[in-house]
Amino acid sequence: MSYNVYTHAQRTDLDDQIGEVLEASWSAFMLHDEVANQYYPQLDEWFGAFQYVLTDDNDRVMAVGNAIPFYWDGTAEDLPKGWDDVFLRGIEGYRQEQQPNTLSALSISIHPKYRGLGLSRQMVTAMKEIAKQNGLEYMVAPVRPSIKYKYPLTPMDRYIQWNTAEGAPFDPWVRTHWKLGAKIVQVAEESMFIRGSLAEWESWTGMKFPESGTYIIPDALTPVQIDVEKNEAVYIEPNIWMQHFL
């Protein structure tokens, strides 16, 4: 199978398919990050050259990549706090007409029917090429480990120390980045914030929350905090900052 890579700036006609891929690729609660809800439209409007798709020979969108350029001084100390923070830094940098030097991944979404074909590797490679083509110096990613949801009670700083018998990272998605030359820089403990009412979380998860407490939610990397009196549930997701070398 051959693939084609297009940026959003090149193929705005694929927006409907892109929406279908995003909706099919993520658990419902993951589509309600506060920063994304507010600023996602600006990705296409302001950063269209960094949003891209991978299509098959029939022009069907198989995978979607989202990224945002920002300025980074190259040190671990200057990395954003996580996914939300790098999104905000990219938005603010654009508003202030700051010259970016770094591309941060935001997401790579592969339609479930096309998984298992090695597209994740193709998508990371395409993102690196886009960073190079736009003259950026660095590329980083707040990586969401693909099977961390199976170990929600294990702290992320311990999880990233797990390796295979061959010495590679235990997590498949982290391992994909690693095989493409990326290194783990640090854990972003508070990378994403997703808040909602109990009714919203019940609709997103199909679960009931009879009392306040800590709940393990399918596909969540850490437990969700439920407060019945406040009618609020809060999910704080940790990610892993990884750096690719261009």
Side-chain angles (χ1 to χ4, degrees), residues 145-156 159 171 220-222 238:
S146 58
I147 61 172
K148 174 66 171 68
Y149 71 93
K150 296 182 178 181
Y151 310 93
L153 301 181
T154 301
M156 186 68 88
Y159 182 80
D171 187 87
L221 307 192
T222 59

Side-chain angles (χ1 to χ4, degrees), residues 89-104:
R89 191 185 293 193
I91 293 291
E92 188 61 25
Y94 178 86
R95 286 172 169 166
Q96 294 184 6
E97 299 183 350
Q98 184 181 52
Q99 182 64 38
N101 67 344
T102 304
L103 187 64
S104 175

Side-chain angles (χ1 to χ4, degrees), residues 228-243:
V228 173
E229 291 184 358
K230 292 183 179 179
N231 186 30
E232 181 182 63
V234 179
Y235 172 58
I236 303 175
E237 175 164 295
N239 292 153
I240 301 171
W241 275 117
M242 299 188 72
Q243 181 180 356

Side-chain angles (χ1 to χ4, degrees), residues 9-27:
Q10 295 170 321
R11 295 294 305 273
T12 57
D13 59 303
L14 297 175
D15 282 357
D16 287 346
Q17 288 193 58
I18 290 171
E20 293 173 7
V21 171
L22 294 176
E23 188 171 348
S25 300
W26 299 97
S27 294

Side-chain angles (χ1 to χ4, degrees), residues 113-166:
K113 68 186 290 186
Y114 297 115
R115 289 175 183 169
L117 301 177
L119 300 188
S120 58
R121 185 181 182 93
Q122 299 283 345
M123 291 295 284
V124 174
T125 300
M127 190 178 291
K128 292 175 72 171
E129 285 302 312
I130 287 172
K132 292 177 186 177
Q133 291 167 8
N134 284 274
L136 300 180
E137 185 177 355
Y138 303 110
M139 181 176 136
V140 295
V143 175
R144 184 180 203 266
S146 58
I147 61 172
K148 174 66 171 68
Y149 71 93
K150 296 182 178 181
Y151 310 93
L153 301 181
T154 301
M156 186 68 88
D157 58 355
R158 281 171 43 201
Y159 182 80
I160 63 171
Q161 296 177 30
W162 295 358
N163 293 318
T164 65
E166 296 74 29

